Amino acid sequence: MATSLGANTYNRQNWEDADFPILCQTCLGENPYIRMTKEKYGKECKICARPFTVFRWCPGTRMRFKKTEACQTCSKIKNVCQTCLLDLEYGLPIQVRDTGLSIKDDVPKSDVNKEYYTQNMEREIGNSDGTRPVGLLGKAPSSSDMLLKLARTTPYYKRNRPHICSFWVKGECKRGEECPYRHEKPTDPDDPLADQNIKDRYYGINDPVADKLLKRASTMPRLDTPEDKSITTLYVGGLGDSITDLELRNHFYQFGEIRTTTIVQRQQCAFIQFATRQAAELAAEKSFNKLIINGRRLNVKWGRSQGEGGRRDGRGGKEGRGGGLTEMGLKLEPVPGLPGALPPPPVDEDTPTNYFNLGPNSAPPVMNISLPPPPGVAMPPPPGFGPPMFHSMDPMGMPPPMGMRPPVHVHYPSQDPQRMGAHASHSGGS
């Protein structure tokens, strides 16, 4: 194929020289003291075939070495990382981002048109301040609901793991734990994710990762508005320990007047009560699966009405909350090992409930049980054993009935004050 003298192969003025790469947080790694090697004009860009400065580094312990694959001009045109070619703002493939923003950026694929397009974009990049993307991406709307739902908020360092050891798969690896590659079974070769192409990802066509994310976006759950119009409270979960009441108010005040804000630190959640139902509906619509504060994705749901908190049973008692919910609508997981609730005893109208075999007209017996008096205090006579209220008129000397007999002194050894020393006195007398 003929190549013009102005092509990148001969024109060294178009070759790129840089001091630091354009990387995402995942590719850069979690080590703040990272070391890189810099090779000036080390390789050709895999998109525009122009020589550029290649950087190589290790993102962390037990991670594989990574290097830049595309030049900085191609990276700035699409606002992507030079290594993984994922969007720097959302961490998503270009195809997903362009679909969410409803833009279609047709980058030329032929050599001559690609060179002309690159020169125009470099001129536009040089005239910009560098804070916003250029081209159609810079004119697109700032955000999209779908992108906010799918956006990755934290680095995914698992993507930096070493590749699978092919010798271990064949059973021939002799390095053991010193092998820098992974000793794991490979994924299914028929899996679409196993066949990825860097150019397809850059141009936003036939990207299996993008197709998977777009299918996930179409099946994401929706937040249904409750029928009870009195509910004006939103539940916000997953706060962690760093999010404060002021930060929640700074986000939710834009939707309407806030009546109260309650943070339950133990459950790491909060309840935002609005003054009007319209403000609560607007806040739920704009915050569901989109709310990110301090890098944490928060879970937003509708609160529960007072009538749903619990229901009364037939005996007037309050039954347990359905589904293991607390008074504030928090979902509680069942504790393993605890017995369940006992069922109520069966009630049969034919089965008698007279457990003590009492007559229908008999009064229940009353038992008066009193404690004995302390030692040294005379015990009052029991009823019926007091002095007679009248003299007996029987001339034959018959004994009076039991209820009219005089009281008889009963000796209780346990109430004898001399009981503790009685043994010594009796033993001495004998």
Side-chain angles (χ1 to χ4, degrees):
M1 182 177 63
T3 305
S4 64
L5 294 178
N8 293 325
T9 307
Y10 300 99
N11 191 1
R12 294 178 62 93
Q13 294 180 355
N14 294 336
W15 294 7
E16 184 181 273
D17 185 15
D19 296 328
F20 197 82
I22 301 175
L23 302 174
C24 62
Q25 184 64 36
T26 300
C27 292
L28 189 60
E30 56 185 344
N31 184 10
Y33 305 103
I34 192 171
R35 293 185 297 177
M36 290 186 178
T37 60
K38 175 183 174 182
E39 185 180 2
K40 195 173 183 179
Y41 311 138
K43 279 193 174 184
E44 290 184 355
C45 173
K46 292 187 176 180
I47 306 301
C48 65
R50 181 175 58 170
F52 73 106
T53 303
V54 177
F55 294 88
R56 190 172 182 270
W57 72 98
C58 182
T61 307
R62 301 292 297 178
M63 300 293 180
R64 73 176 187 270
F65 276 83
K66 309 192 76 173
K67 67 179 186 302
T68 52
E69 306 289 349
C71 64
Q72 292 197 2
T73 302
C74 294
S75 172
K76 293 177 181 178
I77 292 175
K78 293 284 189 174
N79 192 35
V80 295
C81 172
Q82 282 188 261
T83 300
C84 63
L85 297 188
L86 295 180
D87 184 77
L88 293 174
E89 183 177 358
Y90 302 104
L92 299 174
I94 296 176
Q95 183 177 348
V96 177
R97 183 200 64 192
D98 293 350
T99 303
L101 297 178
S102 301
I103 61 176
K104 188 177 181 181
D105 192 4
D106 294 329
V107 180
K109 298 180 177 59
S110 64
D111 294 339
V112 178
N113 293 336
K114 188 189 305 182
E115 182 181 350
Y116 176 74
Y117 178 80
T118 303
Q119 291 176 0
N120 292 337
M121 295 307 298
E122 281 184 336
R123 190 180 304 111
E124 187 175 350
I125 292 173
N127 296 331
S128 64
D129 57 356
T131 58
R132 287 186 57 83
V134 295
L136 293 178
L137 184 59
K139 303 175 183 178
S142 58
S143 62
S144 170
D145 293 346
M146 184 188 72
L147 296 181
L148 292 177
K149 293 178 183 179
L150 296 176
R152 183 177 294 278
T153 58
T154 56
Y156 184 63
Y157 297 123
K158 189 177 179 181
R159 201 170 65 208
N160 300 331
R161 294 183 303 171
H163 297 296
I164 295 177
C165 180
S166 59
F167 288 89
W168 182 85
V169 175
K170 295 182 293 185
E172 299 177 358
C173 182
K174 300 179 181 179
R175 294 185 178 183
E177 295 182 356
E178 297 180 356
C179 182
Y181 299 96
R182 278 189 296 155
H183 287 183
E184 297 180 7
K185 292 183 179 180
T187 57
D188 187 5
D190 297 332
D191 188 3
L193 298 180
D195 186 14
Q196 301 184 29
N197 186 279
I198 189 171
K199 287 191 175 182
D200 290 343
R201 172 165 295 179
Y202 185 82
Y203 293 121
I205 54 174
N206 301 327
D207 189 354
V209 179
D211 294 338
K212 179 181 178 181
L213 292 175
L214 291 175
K215 290 179 181 179
R216 182 191 301 176
S218 61
T219 58
M220 291 188 71
R222 298 179 301 173
L223 184 62
D224 297 330
T225 304
E227 298 179 357
D228 190 356
K229 298 297 182 181
S230 63
I231 300 178
T232 60
T233 304
L234 295 182
Y235 163 83
V236 183
L239 297 182
D241 300 330
S242 60
I243 298 179
T244 62
D245 178 87
L246 180 60
E247 292 173 335
L248 292 175
R249 286 183 173 270
N250 289 340
H251 171 77
F252 284 102
Y253 86 96
Q254 58 182 320
F255 306 112
E257 181 183 355
I258 299 177
R259 183 171 296 173
T260 58
T261 303
T262 305
I263 295 182
V264 184
Q265 197 65 38
R266 182 177 180 182
Q267 304 293 340
Q268 294 187 351
C269 66
F271 295 89
I272 313 297
Q273 183 180 13
F274 289 89
T276 61
R277 174 59 178 261
Q278 182 180 3
E281 292 180 358
L282 181 61
E285 179 184 357
K286 298 296 183 181
S287 303
F288 179 66
N289 276 349
K290 310 170 194 174
L291 181 56
I292 300 174
I293 299 179
N294 292 345
R296 295 182 64 92
R297 182 183 295 276
L298 305 184
N299 184 19
V300 179
K301 296 181 181 179
W302 280 98
R304 297 169 60 89
S305 62
Q306 297 295 332
E308 297 178 359
R311 55 185 186 275
R312 298 285 175 177
D313 57 10
R315 298 180 300 276
K318 195 171 184 180
E319 295 182 359
R321 299 182 175 271
L325 297 176
T326 63
E327 296 180 356
M328 291 175 290
L330 302 179
K331 182 70 175 179
L332 300 180
E333 297 295 335
V335 180
L338 295 181
L342 296 177
V347 179
D348 191 358
E349 297 180 355
D350 300 334
T351 304
T353 57
N354 188 5
Y355 302 108
F356 301 99
N357 298 324
L358 300 178
N361 298 326
S362 61
V366 180
M367 301 180 65
N368 295 326
I369 302 176
S370 60
L371 297 176
V377 179
M379 181 177 180
F385 290 87
M389 302 300 296
F390 52 88
H391 297 281
S392 175
M393 303 299 294
D394 189 359
M396 300 298 294
M398 295 294 293
M402 292 294 295
M404 301 181 63
R405 292 181 181 180
V408 179
H409 180 68
V410 181
H411 177 69
Y412 295 96
S414 61
Q415 298 181 2
D416 189 356
Q418 304 296 330
R419 186 165 179 260
M420 297 299 295
H423 180 71
S425 61
H426 287 303
S427 60
S430 62

